[in-house]
Amino acid sequence: MLYLRYIYPALVLATLFLAGWEGYVLLTDASALILPAPSDVANGLWVERREILRHALATIGVAGVGFSLSILFAFAVSVSLHFALWLRRGMMPLLVASQTVPIVALAPLMVLWFGFGLLPKVLLVILVTFFPMVVSLMAGYASQPRAFRDQLVSMGASRWVVFRRATLPSARAQFFSGLRISATYAIVATIFAEYAGARQGLGIYILTAKNNFRADLVLAAVVISATLTLTLLAAILIVERATGRRFRRVTHA
């Protein structure tokens, strides 16, 4: 019931939007090739459920591997930058520059360099999602309580002990903020990589539906993409709340 209170306004707005969309299509007799009604999208999703599920599972697999590796990579990079000032000064401009490369140009290059397998799609997901987590972690490290850090140093604590007991706990909230931002990009980056070149996945399904002038199936795949992203965000929120108290107990032990 607590979660329903938070999602109730969104459900109401979404219902009103879909009702208005359905009514507009019925009143204007819009072509299904251009603007299918939500009922047509739902019908296409049901009829094609097995095929869409097959492609969705492929997308979930790539996004899961890529996003998991991205989290590990972001944490390793952030720790390295935190402990090595010279490395931070040298790498931060390069990390920022990596985010200025348009994904529309990078995805085909990844396929060209690494083929149609798992690697190019995973690399693209990592490249798109790791940066917000690195920035959030670095900001969290900088927000550590100075008094607590100085107290640990005065007691002879090593840099690693200070990091584990003062720096890392202070970055928890920022880390999950960056994690949520990155999660919104994970599925989209995977689909775009598949769209540029893959054997299966929602990206390929969208491309095929577009070429067959099936706007209803394109929108059905978009609905699945949005659902996967929202599910990932919900999972992150659950993990954040479930591990919060335990994390604080372990790090302050």
Side-chain angles (χ1 to χ4, degrees), residues 71-145:
I71 295 173
L72 296 176
F73 180 64
F75 181 73
V77 169
S78 68
V79 172
S80 300
L81 298 182
H82 175 73
F83 280 97
L85 179 60
W86 61 271
L87 185 62
R88 187 189 320 167
R89 291 173 177 172
M91 283 194 64
M92 282 307 295
L94 299 178
L95 294 178
V96 173
S98 70
Q99 302 304 297
T100 64
V101 181
I103 187 175
V104 67
L106 190 59
L109 288 177
M110 288 288 187
V111 174
L112 181 63
W113 292 337
F114 301 107
F116 293 93
L118 179 65
L119 181 59
K121 295 187 282 291
V122 168
L123 291 177
L124 192 66
V125 172
I126 293 175
L127 184 62
V128 171
T129 60
F130 87 97
F131 186 73
M133 288 185 283
V134 171
V135 173
S136 298
L137 284 169
M138 294 301 297
Y141 297 159
S143 67
Q144 62 178 317

Side-chain angles (χ1 to χ4, degrees), residues 184-236:
T184 61
Y185 300 141
I187 301 296
V188 174
T190 304
I191 291 176
F192 203 96
E194 294 168 345
Y195 194 87
R199 296 183 178 90
Q200 58 181 345
L202 288 177
I204 287 296
Y205 186 84
I206 291 173
L207 181 61
T208 303
K210 178 185 72 69
N211 292 339
N212 291 328
F213 302 100
R214 293 294 304 273
D216 57 333
L217 297 184
V218 171
L219 291 175
V222 170
V223 170
I224 297 300
S225 171
T227 302
L228 293 178
T229 300
L230 292 175
T231 302
L232 180 58
L233 288 173
I236 291 173

Side-chain angles (χ1 to χ4, degrees), residues 2 8 14 36 51 58 90 97 101 106-107 125 136 140 151 160 172 181 192 194 201 232-233 244 247 249:
L2 180 63
Y8 178 73
E51 188 68 9
V101 181
L106 190 59
V125 172
S136 298
Q151 182 181 12
W160 174 249
R172 181 181 177 275
I181 294 173
F192 203 96
E194 294 168 345
L232 180 58
L233 288 173
F247 184 88
R249 184 171 63 248

